[in-house]
Amino acid sequence: MTIYHGSCHCGTVTFKVDADLSKVTRCTCSVCTKKGILLARVEPSKLKITEGEDTLQLYQFNEMLAKHYFCPTCGIHTFGNPRAAPDMFVVNVNTLDDYDIHSETPEIRYFDGRNWEKAFAESAGRGR
């Protein structure tokens, strides 16, 4: 794994994450689609907020299980706890300052978040 550094747009929230980014996920749920994010799941011990933790805002919807954290100044979603694994974190790969999605070209997996219940049941059967 590699340590990457990330931030919101204005720099109020900064973090570092130890992650394998060879595979990332694009979720098609309404909020992920509107944010246009790519996700990488990491264990809590692999994510360290270095600045701005006290400023983070939380957004939740629907089942109120997933936690979407964002900077209240610039509005950028940096990371969160996914509904599928609330004890883990998902990092918005597009917020990593030292990772270029275009030159790295990871495998992009799709999760049918528009049909969350069905997609989760199917992915659980594949060991995801």
Side-chain angles (χ1 to χ4, degrees):
M1 292 214 230
T2 303
I3 295 177
Y4 298 96
H5 300 85
S7 65
C8 63
H9 189 256
C10 70
T12 297
V13 176
T14 63
F15 62 94
K16 61 183 177 179
V17 62
D18 188 0
D20 173 5
L21 300 181
S22 61
K23 296 176 185 175
V24 297
T25 301
R26 181 174 306 282
C27 176
T28 64
C29 79
S30 59
V31 74
C32 288
T33 297
K34 288 181 183 281
K35 290 183 205 174
I37 64 174
L38 290 173
L39 304 167
R41 189 182 290 186
V42 298
E43 296 176 19
S45 64
K46 304 290 184 182
L47 175 70
K48 178 170 177 32
I49 302 167
T50 52
E51 302 252 348
E53 183 171 9
D54 59 332
T55 66
L56 283 169
Q57 294 292 302
L58 172 65
Y59 175 66
Q60 292 182 283
F61 66 100
N62 195 7
E63 301 287 327
M64 305 299 282
L65 296 174
K67 295 178 180 175
H68 304 267
Y69 294 103
F70 65 95
C71 172
T73 303
C74 64
I76 298 298
H77 167 86
T78 48
F79 44 80
N81 304 103
R83 178 179 171 195
D87 58 328
M88 299 287 280
F89 277 95
V90 284
V91 173
N92 178 356
V93 174
N94 291 324
T95 65
L96 299 177
D97 300 321
D98 47 7
Y99 181 81
D100 179 9
I101 190 76
H102 304 292
S103 64
E104 297 292 336
T105 61
E107 175 187 336
I108 299 176
R109 298 181 286 185
Y110 289 86
F111 179 79
D112 184 8
R114 291 178 191 255
N115 300 292
W116 198 94
E117 302 296 338
K118 180 181 176 190
F120 180 70
E122 289 174 358
S123 69
R126 292 192 304 263
R128 273 193 177 173

